């Protein structure tokens, strides 16, 4: 939404919002993500952007402090893997909604996630291949985790988008291992 707003206004993203966006993407800083959630106009603006680019199966959470949920409420946003691929297409490929400079900025951040966040759709992908990714995870209870990973993998004769959303994981590590096993399978199968 921030990238689209910058595109439509013709104004660059402010230095403050660039700093927030960097920490949100590269190290998954929840406080900075919440600040940006509010800065772009919250769920109504995000929902409008989603509809504009064809994300018809995503519903942003309407609460930031949700009863019975210890994490930022935007983590309760409902989405599908298909919608996450739609989002990635609008970042990776030329888009009417997101300008080239804004897309390149987002890709650069996604290619530079911290080492501790470099998991998920990177599973099985050899070094030297470019991976632009964003991961997400949330404990819904002590033994029920949602773990997700989306990204663009490009190199070694392959160029594809991958979105894996998991639910019902007994631990975060279990969800990560599941996604990495699927990523490895995709990498290997596409190369066959």
């Amino acid at each position: 939404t921030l990238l689209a707003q910058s595109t439509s206004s013709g104004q660059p993203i402010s230095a403050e919002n660039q700093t927030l966006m960097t920490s949100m993407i590269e190290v998954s800083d929840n406080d900075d993500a919440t600040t940006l959630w509010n800065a772009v106009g919250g769920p109504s603006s995000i929902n409008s952007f989603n509809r504009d680019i064809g994300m018809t199966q995503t519903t942003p959470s309407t609460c930031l402090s949700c009863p019975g949920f210890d994490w930022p409420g935007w983590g309760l946003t409902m989405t599908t893997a298909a919608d996450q691929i739609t989002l990635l297409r609008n970042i990776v490929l030329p888009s009417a909604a997101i300008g080239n400079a804004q897309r390149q900025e987002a890709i650069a951040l996604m290619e530079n996630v911290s080492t501790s966040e470099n998991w998920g759709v990177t599973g099985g992908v050899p070094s030297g291949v470019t991976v632009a990714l964003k991961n997400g995870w949330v404990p819904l209870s002590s033994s029920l985790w949602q773990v997700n990973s989306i990204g663009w993998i490009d190199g070694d004769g392959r160029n594809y988008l991958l979105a894996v959303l998991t639910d019902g994981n007994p631990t975060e590590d279990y969800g990560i291992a599941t996604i990495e096993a699927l990523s490895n399978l995709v990498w290997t199968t596409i190369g066959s």
Side-chain angles (χ1 to χ4, degrees), residues 34 37-38 42-43 60-69 71-77:
T34 299
W37 176 276
N38 290 325
S61 175
T62 57
C63 62
L64 276 179
S65 296
C66 307
F69 188 65
W71 303 92
W74 45 258
L76 295 175
T77 292

Side-chain angles (χ1 to χ4, degrees), residues 1 5 37-38 40-52 58-63:
T1 304
Q5 288 175 348
W37 176 276
N38 290 325
V40 300
S44 62
S45 293
I46 293 167
N47 194 52
S48 178
F49 165 75
N50 290 346
R51 296 294 176 254
D52 287 349
T58 298
T59 306
S61 175
T62 57
C63 62

Side-chain angles (χ1 to χ4, degrees), residues 106-124:
I107 291 168
L109 294 174
M110 293 170 67
E111 288 177 355
N112 194 44
V113 297
S114 71
T115 302
S116 65
E117 307 248 339
N118 196 10
W119 51 263
V121 296
T122 58

Side-chain angles (χ1 to χ4, degrees), residues 71-87:
W71 303 92
W74 45 258
L76 295 175
T77 292
M78 301 297 291
T79 192
T80 64
D83 268 8
Q84 292 302 297
I85 293 295
T86 297
L87 177 61

Side-chain angles (χ1 to χ4, degrees), residues 108-192:
L109 294 174
M110 293 170 67
E111 288 177 355
N112 194 44
V113 297
S114 71
T115 302
S116 65
E117 307 248 339
N118 196 10
W119 51 263
V121 296
T122 58
V125 177
S127 62
V129 172
T130 301
V131 179
L133 69 100
K134 183 66 185 104
N135 296 322
W137 60 96
V138 64
L140 298 177
S141 70
S142 62
S143 61
L144 180 64
W145 284 76
Q146 287 182 343
V147 183
N148 307 314
S149 184
I150 68 169
W152 173 34
I153 296 85
D154 184 27
D156 201 18
R158 297 165 180 88
N159 185 346
Y160 59 93
L161 304 175
L162 182 61
V164 184
L165 312 181
T166 70
D167 193 7
N169 300 289
T171 65
E172 178 183 14
D173 288 341
Y174 183 93
I176 291 171
T178 300
I179 294 169
E180 289 185 340
L182 288 169
S183 174
N184 186 41
L185 182 64
V186 170
W187 174 266
T188 304
T189 302
I190 288 177
S192 298

